[in-house]
Amino acid sequence: SQQGEEDPQALSIQEGENATMNCSYKTSINNLQWYRQNSGRGLVHLILIRSNEREKHSGRLRVTLDTSKKSSSLLITASRAADTASYFCASGSARQLTFGSGTQLTVLP
Amino acid sequence: DAGVTQSPTHLIKTRGQQVTLRCSPKSGHDTVSWYQQALGQGPQFIFQYYEEEERQRGNFPDRFSGHQFPNYSSELNVNALLLGESALYICASCGGGGTGGNQPQHFGDGTRLSIL
């Protein structure tokens, strides 16, 4: 079973716009991670936010974490066609990661 | 520096057959995890190997088994394949025995298994 759910399931935007994806999880966490997956490929780690952090930036990525609501969001600013992919949040321990069901992002040129 | 590599990339089997998938972790990594990803879904954790032993297991039947070799590479074996087990099987690795809870995993591109 999935730990959490991403929202929306699918998102289509124009190049240059911002994309926001949300993730909810069920159990307490040490950290929450976001991964990206291009079609038919493996997952690529984007960013990790610890449970004692509220916001983290990496390039065009901004992640927020609200442990009281058990939710996180991923913002991609100034999107590009190359950002088209599926995005997953994941939580758990070093021994086991539990993924959400993902958001399929399509960035139109 | 090679990342996580998996073989084969694609495989077709029939129901009831057995399959072995292989994974070489990223250089310097000693912990290997396996995931099953059905089409349109997130990856589901199968198990993790460290020091040649299975140390964590997800909700998968005993037909799913694995092995880790002294060079840290790993195999996933599935017996008596079911039609519903057509999926992308992805291997991930990390270092430090995976004890660093804040250490991201590195994923291979997976093996696409189709069961007819």
Side-chain angles (χ1 to χ4, degrees):
Chain A
S1 63
Q2 305 288 157
Q3 157 74 313
E5 297 294 328
E6 277 90 345
D7 170 45
Q9 290 187 335
L11 179 62
S12 184
I13 59 174
Q14 294 293 133
E15 207 165 23
E17 292 181 337
N18 295 341
T20 300
M21 290 160 267
N22 303 297
C23 164
S24 61
Y25 56 92
K26 298 176 183 175
T27 60
S28 60
I29 59 171
N30 293 321
N31 64 64
L32 189 128
Q33 303 177 41
W34 284 88
Y35 287 82
R36 163 196 167 130
Q37 184 179 35
N38 287 67
S39 180
R41 302 296 298 273
L43 290 88
V44 175
H45 181 262
L46 295 176
I47 195 165
L48 180 152
I49 184 166
R50 294 178 172 80
S51 59
N52 62 352
E53 298 177 310
R54 292 295 167 261
E55 187 170 312
K56 196 164 183 179
H57 296 255
S58 177
R60 294 185 296 114
L61 305 180
R62 172 179 163 246
V63 169
T64 62
L65 180 64
D66 187 334
T67 53
S68 67
K69 296 181 179 178
K70 291 187 168 60
S71 68
S72 175
S73 68
L74 170 67
L75 168 68
I76 303 174
T77 60
S79 64
R80 306 165 181 168
D83 293 330
T84 294
S86 293
Y87 292 82
F88 297 91
C89 65
S91 60
S93 68
R95 296 191 176 198
Q96 178 171 351
L97 275 182
T98 303
F99 287 84
S101 52
T103 292
Q104 171 61 51
L105 172 66
T106 302
V107 181
L108 303 170
Chain B
D1 179 21
V4 178
T5 58
Q6 293 187 242
S7 64
T9 56
H10 295 83
L11 197 53
I12 299 175
K13 291 286 186 178
T14 57
R15 186 178 57 179
Q17 283 190 312
Q18 179 266 341
V19 69
T20 298
L21 309 180
R22 295 176 176 81
C23 170
S24 292
K26 180 179 169 66
S27 178
H29 286 183
D30 57 8
T31 304
V32 174
S33 301
W34 286 91
Y35 294 82
Q36 178 196 67
Q37 185 178 23
L39 199 61
Q41 300 294 315
Q44 299 246 5
F45 175 77
I46 302 175
F47 43 52
Q48 184 182 83
Y49 274 82
Y50 172 65
E51 291 189 334
E52 301 180 44
E53 291 192 0
E54 179 186 298
R55 71 171 182 181
Q56 188 81 10
R57 189 178 183 92
N59 188 26
F60 280 79
D62 291 345
R63 294 184 295 103
F64 287 74
S65 64
H67 189 79
Q68 185 178 34
F69 299 93
N71 67 352
Y72 308 121
S73 67
S74 177
E75 287 182 349
L76 164 65
N77 301 291
V78 187
N79 293 323
L81 287 165
L82 303 176
L83 292 176
E85 289 165 352
S86 292
L88 183 69
Y89 288 84
I90 312 173
C91 169
S93 71
C94 61
T99 55
N102 292 325
Q103 192 174 140
Q105 295 193 18
H106 294 251
F107 286 81
D109 284 341
T111 294
R112 174 67 64 186
L113 176 62
S114 299
I115 302 166
L116 306 178

